[in-house]
Amino acid sequence: MPKVILAGRIIVPDSDLDSVIAALPTHINLSREEKGCLKFEVTQSAEDKNIFDVYEAFVDETAFQRHQERARDSAWGRISANAERHYEVREKP
């Protein structure tokens, strides 16, 4: 089965920035602990404090979908709900 890679960025509104920054370490740690997570990186842009670059890699589509469901139903999902998401998802052999 091919790996699933998600790459892109989120743009966080000023009104949510402090909450997103506070919640991000927990979200990253929980994501990295998920079965099937190969890599999970979220870094704040040095040029624009509202932009966070995202790179995720999962062993397969099942692991990726489990992550998506967990994140959507988590505190992170609620805190980051207003963020614009600009992602590309692809499979890699």
Side-chain angles (χ1 to χ4, degrees):
M1 293 183 129
K3 291 190 286 188
V4 176
I5 307 294
L6 178 148
R9 60 178 41 182
I10 62 172
I11 303 171
V12 178
D14 284 332
S15 59
D16 296 341
L17 189 58
D18 289 341
S19 296
V20 165
I21 289 170
L24 191 53
T26 299
H27 174 58
I28 291 170
N29 288 336
L30 289 172
S31 297
R32 288 178 178 167
E33 291 173 358
E34 291 176 10
K35 182 179 177 185
C37 180
L38 299 171
K39 186 166 188 155
F40 195 90
E41 300 291 334
V42 182
T43 54
Q44 191 172 20
S45 168
E47 293 83 34
D48 186 330
K49 66 181 173 43
N50 298 82
I51 295 176
F52 295 78
D53 296 310
V54 180
Y55 184 87
E56 305 174 6
F58 291 87
V59 295
D60 59 19
E61 181 69 24
T62 301
F64 176 71
Q65 289 304 323
R66 276 195 313 258
H67 165 72
Q68 292 295 306
E69 290 170 12
R70 185 204 58 80
R72 186 174 32 254
D73 296 334
S74 70
W76 170 258
R78 292 184 293 280
I79 290 167
S80 68
N82 296 323
E84 292 179 37
R85 288 165 164 80
H86 303 274
Y87 299 140
E88 177 184 325
V89 179
R90 67 184 190 281
E91 293 184 351
K92 185 175 179 181

